[in-house]
Amino acid sequence: MRIEASSAGSVASRSENRFTAGVKHVLVLLGVLGVLSGCHAGGRGYDIPGEFCGYEVSGQAISPLLPEGESLKDYSKKRSGSIAHCRLGVDERMVISVDVEQNTGPLEPVDMDPAKFKDGVAVNVPLAKSAIAGSERARVVAQCGDLYPWMVFDFSFYSPHSGEGEQRVADVAGFVENFVARVKQGLRCATK
C-alpha cells in the first residue's frame, strides 16, 4: 500500500505543478494582451501628445504636467495679434494654457518678478532675454530676428500634479524650454 500512497502523492504533486504552470501561462497571456491592447501607464486613458498647438513637443517634457484621465483634447486656435493661443484639456478640464504674443515695436515692460509666481525662479531658456518658471505659471521673453523682434510666452498650468516645489518647477521649466524652442524653430526664428 505504500507504493499506492506514494503514487497518489506524486499524482497530486503533478496536478499541483500543472495547475501552477497553467496559472503562470494565464498571467503571462494577460500581460501580453494588456500591452497589445494599448493599456496606458500612469492611469492615463490617452496617449501623450507629440504635438501641441501646431508645434512638435517632447512627450518627455509635457508628460509630467498632464494628469491622469480618459481623454485629451487640444483646444488651440489662432487669434489676431498673437502667434499662438494654445489650450490643452484632459477630460474637458483645461490643464495647460499658453499665449504667445508678438511685438513688432520696442519691448513694452513685462513683469518678470519671480516673487509674483508661486515657487518662481529665473530659469535659463536658450536664446531668451528672460524667463521665469513657477509651479503654476511661467513667462518667457524671447526674440525672433526681424520677423518678431519680441515674443512674450505666458504659460499657465491648471492641473493637479504629482510633483511639488522644486520638482514641479523643474518639470515646468523643462516643458517651457522645449516649447519655446519648438515655436521658434517652427517660425524659423534667427538663432543669434
Side-chain angles (χ1 to χ4, degrees), residues 26-139:
V26 169
L27 291 175
V28 168
L29 180 61
L30 288 174
V32 169
L33 289 175
V35 170
L36 294 177
S37 69
C39 286
H40 301 278
R44 292 183 179 141
Y46 58 86
D47 293 325
I48 301 301
E51 185 176 287
F52 172 47
C53 200
Y55 299 98
E56 183 181 331
V57 293
S58 160
Q60 186 176 4
I62 198 170
S63 179
L65 305 176
L66 299 175
E68 294 179 357
E70 292 304 312
S71 64
L72 179 86
K73 184 171 181 182
D74 191 334
Y75 295 94
S76 303
K77 59 185 177 183
K78 285 286 190 185
R79 274 192 338 196
S80 88
S82 70
I83 297 168
H85 180 70
C86 312
R87 305 290 183 264
L88 193 62
V90 172
D91 296 341
E92 298 184 21
R93 285 187 348 235
M94 204 60 53
V95 293
I96 298 176
S97 167
V98 185
D99 286 311
V100 185
E101 302 294 329
Q102 61 194 14
N103 189 337
T104 55
L107 180 64
E108 299 291 324
V110 176
D111 191 354
M112 298 298 285
D113 181 2
K116 294 186 179 176
F117 292 72
K118 183 179 178 187
D119 305 318
V121 295
V123 293
N124 181 25
V125 174
L127 304 173
K129 179 181 187 278
S130 59
I132 303 289
S135 57
E136 297 174 352
R137 297 180 350 160
R139 181 172 290 146

Side-chain angles (χ1 to χ4, degrees), residues 149-160:
W150 299 103
M151 297 185 298
V152 178
F153 293 76
D154 274 311
F155 297 82
S156 295
F157 305 95
Y158 304 102
S159 66

